[in-house]
Amino acid sequence: MILTTGGTGYIGSHTVVELQKAGFEVLIIDNLSNSNAEIIDRIEQITGIRPFFELLDLKNKEKTFDLFKKYPKIEAVVHFAASKAVGESVQKPLMYYENNIGSLLNILQAMEKYHCLHFVFSSSCTVYGQPDILPVTEKSIRQPAESPYGNTKMISEDIIKDFAVSNKSFQAIALRYFNPIGAHESGLIGELPNGIPNNLVPFVTQTAFGLRPKLSIFGNDYNTPDGSCIRDYINVVDLAQAHVVAIKRLLDNKNKNNFEFFNIGTGKGISVLEIVKTFEKVTDLKLNYEIIGRRIGDIEKIWAETSLANEELGWKAQRNLEETLLSAWNWECNYRKTN
Ligand code: WQD
């Protein structure tokens, strides 16, 4: 049994689908603070298998320990549960440290107590800040975080590393996501931000659907070919499949040491304006957008060097930008039809 914390979330739900397709039994725990239980029905619709579910806030240490007592078959944990809005973290840093660090400590201590010692962690390219050299490899230095959110990812990686050093039986892999976008081909699960989206692609699809009057593009005066920021946009199903590969690596004892980390990206840098133009091309829609000033905290450009994940994990992004943006649009249309 694989425990996925935050398994009703965007990346979590897609990973549950891929874990079930790979034959794993899955238990989801979530506090539903940023998602809803209907996602479980949709996962079952996609795979025909209903995952186990427990409503649980990992900040509650006692309940977290009780979970492992109730489910002794948990053999590995994929840890997604965390707050992840960069801007919000600047406004509410204490909530971010309490939630993201507190939850991590509780899950790790429960794993230690119940001898569940395989752990995949949802990390982020945000640990690299603005790299001096691109593409960014796993050897690139981590830079001081630009936000409390980013800092929780840095601190989390250090906690996991220190625990791995202290306990050789504990086996961990951190996956450093670049920018996850898109949705499952069924259109039944996808990115569902609460309120006004922070991230680019859901803002694009909501604008295209008419929920937002226009998309604001934060700056076109960067030192990039078209002046807009560059990111490495990774299809969420490709990303989900990277978690399955990581879990198998740990359960099959194929990992080279007990704390590994991998860049999970496409290896290609795409600008904001290229996202807009590609979306317009694949949907044959005209997007209403306005270029305004830079957003504080944005880095100029980052994309991944992915050879370590390609060679060590045997994982490579399969889905291209066109089909990925179309999947995001398909999800937006499907979701709005019934909500
Ligand atoms: C991408 C680009 C914006 C919205 C963050 C977190 C990262 C991860 C993904 C959680 C930037 C531009 C955006 C808009 C815009 N989060 N943009 N108009 O900031 O690269 O990464 O989200 O795991 O950890 O740091 O993603 O989608 O917010 O922005 O012009 O309305 O799109 O300036 O250049 P980001 P993003």
Side-chain angles (χ1 to χ4, degrees), residues 84 86 124 126 149 177-180 197-201 203 215-218 229 231 233 272 295 298-299:
K84 60 155 201 161
V86 173
S124 168
T126 201
Y149 160 77
Y177 306 167
F178 282 69
N179 287 55
N198 294 301
N199 295 138
L200 177 64
V201 171
F203 210 112
L215 166 73
S216 298
I217 293 180
F218 301 136
C229 292
R231 296 288 185 276
Y233 294 96
V272 177
R295 178 173 68 175
D298 273 339
I299 60 165

Side-chain angles (χ1 to χ4, degrees), residues 238-305:
D238 281 336
L239 177 58
Q241 289 173 347
H243 292 77
V244 178
V245 171
I247 281 285
K248 286 179 175 173
R249 181 178 175 86
L250 293 177
L251 293 178
D252 297 345
N253 300 313
K254 291 269 185 3
N255 51 322
K256 293 262 169 58
N257 59 67
N258 70 335
F259 178 56
E260 294 179 313
F261 44 88
F262 297 95
N263 289 343
I264 303 297
T266 64
K268 284 194 284 295
I270 301 289
S271 76
V272 177
L273 285 166
E274 283 175 294
I275 289 283
V276 170
K277 289 186 175 31
T278 307
F279 181 82
E280 291 183 324
K281 187 181 83 172
V282 297
T283 59
D284 202 20
L285 294 171
K286 193 84 193 82
L287 201 63
N288 184 24
Y289 67 87
E290 179 192 4
I291 294 176
I292 64 170
R294 295 183 173 192
R295 178 173 68 175
I296 296 171
D298 273 339
I299 60 165
E300 180 172 81
K301 50 195 171 193
I302 188 168
W303 63 93
E305 204 285 333

